[in-house]
Amino acid sequence: MISRIPNSTEIARINSEHLLTTGLKPADLLFVFGTRDGVKERIDAAYHLWRDGYCRWLIVSGGLTPGSDMTECQIIKAGLVSLGVPAASILEEHKATNTGENVIFSLPIIAEHLGLDNIRTVICLGNLWTSRRYPMTLHRHWREPEKMLVVVNHYETPNALWHTDPELCARVLSEWDKIQPYLAKDFIAEWP
């Protein structure tokens, strides 16, 4: 499963450059990137951010997953509403099949319902292994708002020990390896 075993230097670089943590403060919008993995953890994290006053508005973005007749957005939104998040506070995007599409397809929805100029701060919520690529993708298409990052990890392996779990390690390395090619193709922008 692991294409390579990272050495201590690469682990340190990934920890400092990719698996970033940011300070967290109340934001104008929580951008919930869709997922097939760790859906419950994503819903719980989004709910807690809303409950604890870190966002008033949420956008959930994610299309159909192979083998399902519900979009990632429908599944995540239903979970949030079942926990008490008002449905009216959740904007929906149902077509995206990747991170770039999450952003590209969500921006017109945000513009229509909230106005892009009214959003000064955004929290990106996604998987640990993708980490920095979420705000980098958002920054490529929408530079103005300040971006924060919250990640979830549904593996039993603690975040700091990602390199000790073969499956999690493979996922982190796969995402890490995408950064430079995606920058070169202008899919993402340097952030922070």
Side-chain angles (χ1 to χ4, degrees):
M1 175 159 294
I2 297 178
S3 58
R4 68 177 186 279
I5 298 184
N7 62 31
S8 60
T9 301
E10 186 173 32
I11 291 167
R13 279 196 66 206
I14 291 169
N15 287 342
S16 67
E17 296 175 29
H18 183 62
L19 303 179
L20 300 178
T21 56
T22 65
L24 196 58
K25 65 182 181 183
D28 297 319
L29 179 69
L30 174 62
F31 198 121
V32 183
F33 288 82
T35 189
R36 294 173 218 141
D37 301 313
V39 174
K40 180 188 179 315
E41 291 80 1
R42 183 79 46 98
I43 292 167
D44 289 346
Y47 167 71
H48 286 102
L49 288 165
W50 173 81
R51 183 199 66 194
D52 295 344
Y54 283 99
C55 64
R56 178 174 165 217
W57 294 100
L58 302 84
I59 185 157
V60 179
S61 174
L64 284 172
T65 297
S68 176
D69 59 353
M70 292 180 68
T71 65
E72 293 171 348
C73 177
Q74 287 172 307
I75 293 166
I76 293 170
K77 181 177 179 178
L80 290 168
V81 170
S82 75
L83 293 173
V85 179
S89 297
I90 305 171
L91 305 179
E92 303 174 40
E93 186 289 307
H94 295 276
K95 296 184 295 185
T97 60
N98 60 54
T99 307
E101 289 180 353
N102 288 135
V103 172
I104 292 166
F105 296 162
S106 292
L107 287 178
I109 296 166
I110 298 166
E112 178 183 344
H113 293 278
L114 305 175
L116 295 178
D117 292 340
N118 295 323
I119 307 299
R120 293 183 180 89
T121 51
V122 177
I123 298 170
C124 299
L125 175 61
N127 293 319
L128 167 70
W129 50 90
T130 308
S131 281
R132 180 171 162 234
R133 197 161 61 78
Y134 294 116
M136 291 179 82
T137 304
L138 189 60
H139 197 64
R140 160 62 181 85
H141 299 280
W142 192 22
R143 292 192 178 266
E144 293 77 15
E146 175 186 353
K147 290 139 192 100
M148 294 167 274
L149 176 62
V150 173
V151 295
V152 292
N153 174 8
H154 69 275
Y155 289 90
E156 291 183 14
T157 305
N159 292 1
L161 298 177
W162 62 268
H163 54 280
T164 66
D165 180 303
E167 186 177 341
L168 182 54
C169 183
R171 286 184 165 209
V172 169
L173 290 174
S174 173
E175 290 296 331
W176 169 248
D177 289 343
K178 290 177 184 177
I179 297 294
Q180 289 309 314
Y182 280 16
L183 281 168
K185 292 177 181 176
D186 201 29
F187 292 167
I188 59 178
E190 284 291 354
W191 175 90

